[in-house]
Amino acid sequence: MEKRVMTVSKRRRGLTVASALLGGVLVLSACSSGDDDASGSSSDTSQAKADEAAAKKTSEADIKITPKDGSDNASINNSAAVTVSKGTLTDVSMTTADGTEVAGALSADKTSWKPSTQLERSTTYKLAAEAKDSDGRVAHENASFTTVSPTNSFIGNFTPEDGSTVGVGMPVSINFDKAITNKSAVQKGITVSSSSGQEVVGHWFNANRIDFRPDDYWTENSTVTLKLALDGVEGADGVYGVQQKTVTFKIGRNQITYVDAKTKQMKVTQDGKTVKTIPISAGSPENKTYEGIMVMSEKFKETRMNGATVGFTDDDGKGEYDIKDVPHAIRLTNSGTFVHGNYWGAKSIFGSVNTSHGCVGLSDTKGANDKGTAGYWFYNNSIVGDVVIVQNTGDKTVSPDNGLNGWNLSWADWKAGSAV
């Protein structure tokens, strides 16, 4: 009797193991011998149900979401990628924390999905994905992540603009909104190349600004490409780049203008040939114009010039001048040096006397619409990036970082400012 009890106990343990192997489905088969009634439906039905449960496998579709669930400081460019193997995606939903839908697109083979637009910084997103395998079995995956915050990221504001046409002196200038301490890593994430094959080198003026230029001016009619691969690059401790962008711009004709404060003449050359000579009035002996190579950075058909903004004030603190409609103004420095039209001065001063507060003045007419004036002609025949070389003023050479004027550094000194 004792032996029989032990046998039954062993059989019950065996059933327990079988039950576990069948995915947790309890097998209710009888402990009788093979002589029991074969037509007994209780045993057959129970076994069939167990077999059916064991055969039911989960979907083979394997969904992957990046970044992983719970991530913070996620990229605004490469996050929210959804892929599936051994199946196809049937539905992907992406929303912000407040429920706003984020548009996205499936690949043609329905094995990947990504957002259609760049994500916002410092935003939490939720993703829900569904896929089916070849047998139609459904799989689900969910994730939530937060993108990098403005505090923990940096952006470079660059010039010139994508698709623009600029003069041969236009550098690529990038100003970062955070101080960069890991200059080498950031510079390695920036590539500037020219269809002319010219060597292009970056120069750091400070922790927030790097410019790129070749040894000599850009080759006319060439194409320059700027590639920013800064997404995820650590520019400073805990501060990462977010930009992933390619920009191209065209170089126009080679226009170099020479301003001689001694002769009070301006000579405009294109491709090495003089196309126009214009009488000018440069800075007075008390307010000399900077010397050196300057690049046009902005153009205004009309603009206001107030002496107080650049340090020229009367005893009452007001500007020595305040002209609200200066015509045909072209910026040469950040500190306020322009080539501009002058309608308030006597016509006799141009070509004969230097009277300005440091700008280069050309004869012009109030309203900026007189096509017969020197100011009108020069403005309409100049583009941002053109070079103006100012000579014989008696003043110091303009600082290379005062505007886009890095050409005043020798090539050796320029390359010495590279971090790579």
Side-chain angles (χ1 to χ4, degrees):
M1 185 67 180
E2 181 179 352
K3 183 177 181 180
R4 178 175 176 81
V5 171
M6 291 177 64
T7 302
V8 172
S9 176
K10 290 179 179 178
R11 290 182 64 194
R12 286 175 178 169
R13 287 199 300 271
L15 287 171
T16 301
V17 174
S19 174
L21 292 175
L22 289 172
V25 178
L26 183 61
V27 182
L28 299 176
S29 57
C31 296
S32 61
S33 68
D35 294 335
D36 290 335
D37 184 2
S39 64
S41 60
S42 175
S43 174
D44 290 348
T45 301
S46 298
Q47 186 63 54
K49 288 181 178 179
D51 292 344
E52 181 182 0
K56 285 186 176 179
K57 299 178 181 179
T58 58
S59 175
E60 291 186 347
D62 186 13
I63 303 171
K64 300 290 185 184
I65 297 176
T66 55
K68 66 181 181 179
D69 187 39
S71 297
D72 56 13
N73 284 336
S75 166
I76 63 173
N77 298 291
N78 301 318
S79 294
V82 181
T83 60
V84 65
S85 58
K86 298 183 180 180
T88 56
L89 292 168
T90 53
D91 184 57
V92 178
S93 173
M94 183 175 181
T95 60
T96 60
D98 63 4
T100 303
E101 292 283 343
V102 178
L106 278 172
S107 61
D109 61 3
K110 297 183 178 180
T111 61
S112 65
W113 179 97
K114 63 180 180 180
S116 302
T117 59
Q118 187 181 65
L119 305 184
E120 298 293 331
R121 288 190 287 178
S122 199
T123 302
T124 298
Y125 292 94
K126 296 182 179 181
L127 268 164
E130 177 186 281
K132 289 183 179 180
D133 64 12
S134 58
D135 292 329
R137 292 171 294 198
V138 179
H140 295 273
E141 192 69 43
N142 295 274
S144 177
F145 64 90
T146 302
T147 51
V148 64
S149 69
T151 301
N152 294 323
S153 61
F154 68 87
I155 286 179
N157 298 302
F158 58 85
T159 190
E161 295 180 1
D162 187 28
S164 59
T165 297
V166 296
V168 296
M170 188 70 180
V172 172
S173 184
I174 305 173
N175 287 272
F176 298 104
D177 63 352
K178 303 280 197 313
I180 302 300
T181 56
N182 193 354
K183 293 179 179 178
S184 177
V186 171
Q187 188 173 339
K188 288 176 182 177
I190 305 170
T191 303
V192 181
S193 59
S194 172
S195 62
S196 66
Q198 291 172 279
E199 179 188 9
V200 184
V201 175
H203 178 96
W204 291 89
F205 285 114
N206 52 51
N208 294 80
R209 176 182 172 185
I210 183 172
D211 285 14
F212 291 81
R213 50 156 270 211
D215 182 5
D216 201 356
Y217 304 129
W218 301 105
T219 301
E220 59 270 24
N221 302 316
S222 58
T223 299
V224 179
T225 300
L226 163 66
K227 291 184 179 180
L228 298 173
L230 297 174
D231 189 62
V233 174
E234 191 170 19
D237 187 23
V239 180
Y240 298 87
V242 296
Q243 288 168 295
Q244 187 170 292
K245 190 177 185 67
T246 298
V247 172
T248 61
F249 59 94
K250 301 285 289 186
I251 304 299
R253 73 286 177 274
N254 184 320
Q255 179 165 305
I256 310 293
T257 297
Y258 299 87
V259 173
D260 190 330
K262 185 175 182 180
T263 64
K264 305 168 188 64
Q265 298 291 319
M266 169 191 285
K267 182 175 69 174
V268 184
T269 69
Q270 288 186 358
D271 302 319
K273 298 179 180 179
T274 300
V275 296
K276 189 84 167 178
T277 299
I278 300 171
I280 59 96
S281 179
S284 68
E286 298 77 25
N287 302 297
K288 299 181 180 69
T289 305
Y290 285 130
E291 292 189 358
I293 304 169
M294 305 183 209
V295 175
M296 298 179 185
S297 58
E298 292 181 289
K299 293 177 63 184
F300 306 95
K301 183 179 179 182
E302 290 182 285
T303 192
R304 178 183 180 182
M305 290 187 178
N306 186 339
T309 64
V310 289
F312 292 110
T313 57
D314 292 325
D315 293 339
D316 59 4
K318 294 183 179 180
E320 292 182 13
Y321 56 88
D322 187 1
I323 305 169
K324 297 178 174 62
D325 56 354
V326 177
H328 301 126
I330 303 174
R331 181 183 292 277
L332 300 180
T333 70
N334 292 340
S335 60
T337 307
F338 284 79
V339 175
H340 63 78
N342 178 335
Y343 66 79
W344 54 90
K347 301 299 181 185
S348 59
I349 67 172
F350 302 104
S352 61
V353 59
N354 293 320
T355 61
S356 83
H357 284 77
C359 292
V360 177
L362 311 179
S363 179
D364 212 327
T365 301
K366 185 179 178 67
N369 292 314
D370 187 347
K371 297 181 180 180
T373 65
Y376 185 100
W377 183 94
F378 187 68
Y379 182 89
N380 282 278
N381 284 276
S382 299
I383 59 176
V384 168
D386 280 349
V387 176
V388 177
I389 300 175
V390 182
Q391 303 166 317
N392 299 321
T393 69
D395 200 18
K396 63 182 179 181
T397 299
V398 65
S399 176
D401 61 349
N402 186 0
L404 304 176
N405 300 324
W407 300 102
N408 292 286
L409 288 174
S410 68
W411 187 231
D413 287 342
W414 183 266
K415 292 195 294 184
S418 173
V420 298

